[in-house]
Amino acid sequence: MGSKYPPSMRGCLPLWTLLLVVAFIVIFFFFTSYDTSSQDPKELTDTYRVLQDVTIMMALGFGFINSSLRRYGWSSMAFNLFLLALTVQWAVLLNGFLEQLSPQKVVIKLSSIKLATMSAMSVLISAGAVLGKANLVQLVLMALVEVTAFGVMRMIQAKYFVKDDHVNMMHIHVFAAYFGLMVAWSFRRPLHGRMMEKYQTEKRSSLFGMLGTLFLWIFWPSFNSALLPNERKNAMFNTYYALAVSTVTAISVSSLAHPQGKINMHHIHNAVLAGGVAVGTSCYLIRSPWLAMVLGLVAGLISTGGALSLTMRFNNMLDLHDTSGVYYTFGLPGLLGEIAHIVLITLQDDWTKSTRVEYQLLLDIGALSLALAMGLIIGLLTGLVLNLKIWKGPHMSNYFDDQLYWKFPHLAVGF
Amino acid sequence: MGSKYPPSMRGCLPLWTLLLVVAFIVIFFFFTSYDTSSQDPKELTDTYRVLQDVTIMMALGFGFINSSLRRYGWSSMAFNLFLLALTVQWAVLLNGFLEQLSPQKVVIKLSSIKLATMSAMSVLISAGAVLGKANLVQLVLMALVEVTAFGVMRMIQAKYFVKDDHVNMMHIHVFAAYFGLMVAWSFRRPLHGRMMEKYQTEKRSSLFGMLGTLFLWIFWPSFNSALLPNERKNAMFNTYYALAVSTVTAISVSSLAHPQGKINMHHIHNAVLAGGVAVGTSCYLIRSPWLAMVLGLVAGLISTGGALSLTMRFNNMLDLHDTSGVYYTFGLPGLLGEIAHIVLITLQDDWTKSTRVEYQLLLDIGALSLALAMGLIIGLLTGLVLNLKIWKGPHMSNYFDDQLYWKFPHLAVGF
Amino acid sequence: MGSKYPPSMRGCLPLWTLLLVVAFIVIFFFFTSYDTSSQDPKELTDTYRVLQDVTIMMALGFGFINSSLRRYGWSSMAFNLFLLALTVQWAVLLNGFLEQLSPQKVVIKLSSIKLATMSAMSVLISAGAVLGKANLVQLVLMALVEVTAFGVMRMIQAKYFVKDDHVNMMHIHVFAAYFGLMVAWSFRRPLHGRMMEKYQTEKRSSLFGMLGTLFLWIFWPSFNSALLPNERKNAMFNTYYALAVSTVTAISVSSLAHPQGKINMHHIHNAVLAGGVAVGTSCYLIRSPWLAMVLGLVAGLISTGGALSLTMRFNNMLDLHDTSGVYYTFGLPGLLGEIAHIVLITLQDDWTKSTRVEYQLLLDIGALSLALAMGLIIGLLTGLVLNLKIWKGPHMSNYFDDQLYWKFPHLAVGF
C-alpha cells in the first residue's frame, strides 16, 4: 500500500503556503491601511453581524456539508477552513486593487472583509466538485486562480454590464459550479470498485453533513440580503419562503423517485438549499410570496431531478465525477435564478420605460454569458494546469482517503 | 424481514405533500401580500435576529436533540426539518386569517414569520412523543391539525381570557406536551425485546443530542423574550438564571438517584432545559434573580424526578410510551411555570387593585384549562385518526428504524 | 474491574452542589437586585448579542473542542456545561462584591453576566489540562477557587496597575494556562499502556472537536472586542487577520514537521486559535493589518512548535500531562500577546510623553507578573488540595474513561 503513496507533500505545501503568507504580509504592509473614518457604531455592529453569519456559512456550513464521505471527513473539514482563511486574505487585497485600479493604498473596511468572505464561497463551491481528488497544493492554486477570476469578472460586469453589487455577486453560483465542473472534468478517470466504496456516505457522519446543510439553510437569508441595504426585507422574506418550499419539495420528490418511497439523504443535503440559490439574484425584485414559493418549488424539482438523472449520466458519458453534486446544488438552481431574474427585470421594465427594456435585457444576458464563459474557460485551463505532474496529485487509489494527508492517532504511539 | 414492511409510502407522502405545496402557493397568490410599509431598518434587523435565533432553536436544537436514538438519527433530523418548513407556511396563513377574521388579504410581516416559527415549536415538541412510531404522512397530518388547534386556542385566549401575546404563546409547552402524550397514548403498544434495543441511545450519537440541547440552552433567552419588546431585559435575566440553576440541579439529582452516583445522559438532554420552560410564562414579572433561581431549582428537580419515576410507570401502567420524554421536559416544567405565573399575578395584583384579583385569577386559570383541555382532547382525536389503517403506519417491528424511510448508501451501488 | 472503582461519588457531588445552589439562592436573595434603570433598547440588544456570542464560545466551543477523546466525550461535554453554569452564578456575585467592596446590594446588569461568562473561561481553559483525571467534585472546587482568584487578580490590577477592563481580562489566557498546568502537575503520574490508548483521539469524534474549534474561531472577534466599546472596529479587524494567518500557518507547519508531510489533527484543533489569543491584549492598539498578521504568524509557529516539542518533554521530564494542550493553545500565545502589548504600549508612548514610558512599562510588567504568579501559586495550592484523598479522585486506571461517571444505555435495560 505504501508504494502507491505519491511523493511526500512535504516539500511542496508548507513551502508554498508559508511563502504566500509572508508575501501577503508584505503586500499588506506596503499597500493597505485600515479605515479610520469614524462610523456609526450601530452600522458597524450590523455589518459585523452579517459578516459573522456569512463566516458561519462558510466555515461551519461548507465545512460540514461535505464531511459525510466515509473516509474523507477530516480533509473536507480542514481543507475547507484552510482555503477559507487563505482566500479571504487574497480577496480583500484583490477587491481593493480592482476597485481603485491605481497603486495607492487600499483602505480596508469591515464591509471589505464581508465581500471577500462572500467571494471565497466561489472557491468552496468549486472545491466540492474535486473533493477527494486534488491535494491541498492543487486546491490552493485553484483557490487563488478562481477568486482572482471571480473578482475580475465582477469588475468587468460592474463596468460594462450591471452596476449592482448584489446581482454581480449572485453570479457566484453559476460561475463556481461551471468552474468546478470543468476542473473536475479535467480530473476525469473511471471510478470503480474500492474507490466507490470509500465514496459512500457513512450513515453516522451523515448527521454531520446535515449539520452543515442546516447552517447554510438557516443563514441563507443573511447571505442573500447581505449586499442589499435597502431591499433587505423582501430579500429575507423571499429567501425564507423559497427555502421552505424547496425543502418540502426535495424530500417529497426524493421519496417519489424510489420504488418503495424511500428518501435519499444525498438529495436532502443538496436540494434543500436549491430554493435559496434560485431566489438569490431576484430576491429583491419579488413582491409577493407566491412567486418565491414557485421558484422554490421549481428549484427543488430540478435539483432533485438533476441528482437523480444526471449523476449517472455524468459518470458514464462524460467520465465526469462531481463529488458533492455541485452541479445540481448550485449550477442548475443558479441558472434557474438567473433566468428568473432576466424575466422579472424584463417584465418590470416593460411597465415603465419601454425603450430601455431591450437594452437592459441584452446587458443581463451578457453578464450571465460572461459568468458562464469565464467559469467554463478558466475552470478548464485551471484543471489542465492542476493535472500537471509537478503538483504531485494523489494517485487514484488514494482518492477519497484521509490517510494520505493525516497523521492518525493509532500511529502516534509516542504522542 | 421484507414481508413486515408496510405498503410503500410512495403512493402517499409525495402526492400529499406536493399537493399541499401547490395549494399553499395558490392560497398565498390569492390571499397574501408582503408588508410594504417602510420600517425602521434597525427594528427590522432586530426582528430578523430574533427570528434567526428561533429558527436555530427549531432546526438545529430540535433537530439534534432527538438524533441520539441508535437507528433513528436520520429520520429524527430530516422529519424535523420537513415538519418545520411545512408548518411555518401554514402557520403564517392561519395566524393571518385568525387575526383579521375577514376574507381580505393577509399582510405578511417579518414578525408574522417569527410568530409562525414559534408556533411550529408545538409540532416539534409533540412529534418527540411519537418519534419512531409514526410515519411522515401521519406526522404531516398531526402537524397541520396541531398548529391549527394551537392557533385557534391562542385566538380564543386573546379574545376571552388574556390579551397578552407572550402569555398565550407560553401555553405552548403544556398544550404541546399533552397533545403529544395523547397521540402517543393512542399509539400504545407493549414495547419489548428487539425494539427496546433499537430504542437505546447510542454512545456516540449522544454528542449530537447534546449539540441540540446546547443550541436550545443558548438561545432560550431569545425565545422567552421574543414577544416582550418592553420587558426584554428581565425576561433575558430570568431565563439565564433559571437555566443555570436547572442545569446544575439536573446533573446533581441524576447522580444522586443512581446507587453509584452515575449520571444519566437522558436526564441531561431534557432536564437541563426545564428551567427555561418553567420561567417562560412569568419571566417578564420576576423582579429579582433568586425567584428565577428557585423556579429553576424546582424545575430541575421535577424534571429529573419525572424522568426517574414516570418513565417506567407510563410504560407499565398506561402502555404509554413517550419516546423523547416530552412529558417531563416540557409538560411538567410547563405546568410549574403556569402555576407560578398565576401565583405571581395574584400576589402582584393583591398590592394594587384588590377587586381585580379574583377576576384575573379566574381568567388565568381559564386560559390554562383551555390549553390543557384542547391539548388533551384534540390530541386524543388526532391520535385516533392517525391510527386508522389508511395512513399505512409502520409495523411495530419497524419502530425506531431508519431503514423504513431511507435509501442507504450500501444499497446504492450505482450511485 | 469493579474493584478498582473509587467509592461512589454519590455521597459527595450532589450534596455539595445542591447545597451550593441553595446557598447561591440565599445570597442572591439578600444581596442582589436587578438593574431597574431604563436602558436604550438598542444598547441592550447589542450587549445581549455579545453575551450570546460569548456563551456560544463557552458552551459549544469549549464543550466540543475536548470531546474527541476516545472514551471521554460525554464527560468533557457535560462537565464543561456544569462548570459553566455554576461558575457564572458565582462570578456574577463575586465581581459585584469586589467592585463595590461594601455590603450593600449588588446591582446585576446584563453586562455583569457578560463579564461573568468571560471570567468563567478561565475555568474552562484550566479544566482542559486535568480533563479525564479529576472528578466533578474536584473540578467544582477548582472552578470556585480559580474564578475567585481571577476576580481578585483583576481587582488588584484595576486598583494598582492598569485600569483598563479589556487588558485585565485578557490576562485570562496566561493566568488560566499556568493555573491549569500547576494543577495538572500535582496530578502527575506516569501514563502508559492502556491509558494512552484511551487518551487517543478517535477519528470519528475529531469532527466534534473541529466543531468546537470552529465555534471558537468564528466568535473570537466578538470575544476580543467584547470589552472595547470604542475601539471595536480595530479589535475585530485584527482578530480576523490574526486568526486567518495562524490557521494557514498552523496547518502548513504541522505538515512541514511530519516526514511525509502529513497533518496532525491535534495541531489544528489548537494552533488555529493561537492568532486570536495572541492578538487579544493588543487588538485595540494595532493600526494596520500587517502587524496583526505577523502576530498570527508567530503565534501559529510557536503554538504548533510547542505542540511538537513540548508534549513529549512535559511528559518525560516533568511527568506533567497536559490533556488538551492548554499550554501551547493558550499559555504560549497568551505570553506572546502580553509581550507584544508591552512593546506596543512602549513604542506608542515613546512618541508622546517620554516621562510616562518607563512608569507605564513597569506597571504593565507588574500586571503580567501578577497574573503569572497568581496563576502558578494558587494553581499549585489548588492542585495540592485536590490531591487529598477526601475528594475520592478517580484511580489512574479510570482516567479518560466515561464509564466512571455515566450510566450507559446498555446497562439500562428497564429504561
Side-chain angles (χ1 to χ4, degrees), chain C residues 41-59:
Chain C
K42 305 265 186 275
E43 206 187 298
L44 179 76
T45 308
D46 194 45
T47 311
Y48 175 61
R49 289 295 153 193
V50 176
L51 169 56
Q52 204 177 54
D53 289 0
V54 176
T55 309
I56 291 179
M57 289 178 72
M58 301 307 146

Side-chain angles (χ1 to χ4, degrees), chain A residues 175-254:
Chain A
F175 174 83
Y178 283 101
F179 188 101
L181 282 180
M182 291 318 289
V183 175
W185 185 72
S186 63
F187 274 79
R188 69 187 177 284
R189 266 147 214 137
L191 301 177
H192 26 221
R194 270 201 67 227
M195 205 180 319
M196 286 317 286
E197 189 189 299
K198 288 190 206 165
Y199 176 57
Q200 298 301 337
T201 307
E202 198 174 11
K203 187 154 182 315
R204 186 80 48 246
S205 358
S206 263
L207 288 182
F208 281 114
M210 200 69 195
L211 182 67
T213 303
L214 284 177
F215 274 118
L216 290 175
W217 198 82
I218 291 170
F219 292 99
W220 209 280
S222 292
F223 183 81
N224 276 355
S225 64
L227 301 177
L228 290 169
N230 301 320
E231 294 99 345
R232 222 162 155 183
K233 198 162 59 171
N234 272 335
M236 287 168 179
F237 272 139
N238 290 319
T239 312
Y240 263 104
Y241 274 97
L243 281 172
V245 172
S246 73
T247 303
V248 175
T249 310
I251 299 184
S252 306
V253 173
S254 177

Side-chain angles (χ1 to χ4, degrees), chain A residues 82-380:
Chain A
F82 189 90
L83 291 177
L84 175 65
L86 198 70
T87 310
V88 168
Q89 296 174 47
W90 174 233
V92 165
L93 281 179
L94 183 85
N95 289 340
F97 288 135
L98 287 176
E99 219 162 80
Q100 54 190 42
L101 287 175
S102 74
Q104 81 205 58
K105 281 210 169 193
V106 172
V107 175
I108 300 180
K109 296 178 206 150
L110 207 56
S111 59
S112 326
I113 306 187
K114 180 178 78 179
L115 207 71
T117 309
M118 292 174 82
S119 305
M121 184 170 158
S122 65
V123 173
L124 307 185
I125 291 178
S126 301
V130 288
L131 193 78
K133 290 175 285 182
N135 68 23
L136 195 46
V137 180
Q138 291 171 311
L139 288 176
V140 166
L141 193 78
M142 191 191 88
L144 295 180
V145 172
E146 179 165 7
V147 88
T148 310
F150 184 66
V152 170
M153 186 203 82
R154 280 187 57 239
M155 190 207 59
I156 298 178
Q157 291 196 342
K159 253 203 171 144
Y160 303 105
F161 295 101
V162 194
K163 293 253 172 292
D164 192 58
D165 248 11
H166 169 77
V167 175
N168 290 340
M169 179 55 80
M170 288 300 151
H171 285 125
I172 198 168
H173 305 300
V174 172
F175 174 83
Y178 283 101
F179 188 101
L181 282 180
M182 291 318 289
V183 175
W185 185 72
S186 63
F187 274 79
R188 69 187 177 284
R189 266 147 214 137
L191 301 177
H192 26 221
R194 270 201 67 227
M195 205 180 319
M196 286 317 286
E197 189 189 299
K198 288 190 206 165
Y199 176 57
Q200 298 301 337
T201 307
E202 198 174 11
K203 187 154 182 315
R204 186 80 48 246
S205 358
S206 263
L207 288 182
F208 281 114
M210 200 69 195
L211 182 67
T213 303
L214 284 177
F215 274 118
L216 290 175
W217 198 82
I218 291 170
F219 292 99
W220 209 280
S222 292
F223 183 81
N224 276 355
S225 64
L227 301 177
L228 290 169
N230 301 320
E231 294 99 345
R232 222 162 155 183
K233 198 162 59 171
N234 272 335
M236 287 168 179
F237 272 139
N238 290 319
T239 312
Y240 263 104
Y241 274 97
L243 281 172
V245 172
S246 73
T247 303
V248 175
T249 310
I251 299 184
S252 306
V253 173
S254 177
S255 162
L256 185 67
H258 189 274
Q260 282 174 295
K262 293 191 177 185
I263 309 167
N264 188 324
M265 193 50 128
H266 268 285
H267 301 164
I268 298 195
H269 280 186
N270 300 314
V272 145
L273 303 172
V277 174
V279 93
T281 321
S282 42
C283 60
Y284 68 101
L285 272 176
I286 298 175
R287 305 250 169 266
S288 42
W290 69 271
L291 200 52
M293 294 169 79
V294 169
L295 267 179
L297 177 68
V298 179
L301 286 175
I302 62 173
S303 183
T304 324
L308 283 163
S309 63
L310 291 179
T311 318
M312 292 289 271
R313 211 160 297 171
F314 272 21
N315 247 338
N316 297 346
M317 286 169 45
L318 301 175
D319 269 344
L320 175 64
H321 184 257
D322 176 4
T323 311
S324 64
V326 163
Y327 190 55
Y328 47 85
T329 312
F330 298 99
L332 284 177
L335 268 183
L336 171 70
E338 297 289 348
I339 294 166
H341 183 242
I342 292 174
V343 171
L344 283 170
I345 281 274
T346 314
L347 288 178
Q348 188 196 37
D349 277 8
D350 211 353
W351 300 329
T352 48
K353 316 169 214 155
S354 55
T355 48
R356 268 198 59 224
V357 176
E358 281 166 38
Y359 182 58
Q360 180 66 40
L361 189 64
L362 273 179
L363 283 186
D364 284 324
I365 293 177
L368 174 58
S369 311
L370 180 72
L372 275 172
M374 282 190 70
L376 286 168
I377 295 170
I378 301 181
L380 181 61

Side-chain angles (χ1 to χ4, degrees), chain A residues 60-75:
Chain A
L60 284 169
F62 278 94
F64 277 106
I65 202 172
N66 293 325
S67 67
S68 42
L69 283 177
R70 188 182 281 274
R71 304 183 59 172
Y72 207 66
W74 286 22
S75 306

Side-chain angles (χ1 to χ4, degrees), chain A residues 46 53 196 201 203-204 210-211 219 222 233 237-238 240-241 252 256 258 262-263 266 289-290 312, chain B residues 10 17 29 34 37 45 48-49 51-52 64 74 77 92 110 202 402-403 405 407-409 414-415:
Chain A
D46 193 46
D53 289 0
M196 286 317 286
T201 307
K203 187 154 182 315
R204 186 80 48 246
M210 200 69 195
L211 182 67
F219 292 99
S222 292
K233 198 162 59 171
F237 272 139
N238 290 319
Y240 263 104
Y241 274 97
S252 306
L256 185 67
H258 189 274
K262 293 191 177 185
I263 309 167
H266 268 285
W290 69 271
M312 292 289 271
Chain B
R10 191 181 180 187
T17 47
F29 179 71
Y34 280 145
S37 67
T45 308
Y48 176 62
R49 289 294 152 194
L51 170 56
Q52 205 177 54
F64 277 107
W74 286 21
M77 283 292 306
V92 165
L110 207 54
E202 198 174 12
D402 270 340
Q403 205 166 9
Y405 307 109
K407 188 182 169 193
F408 281 139
F415 187 57

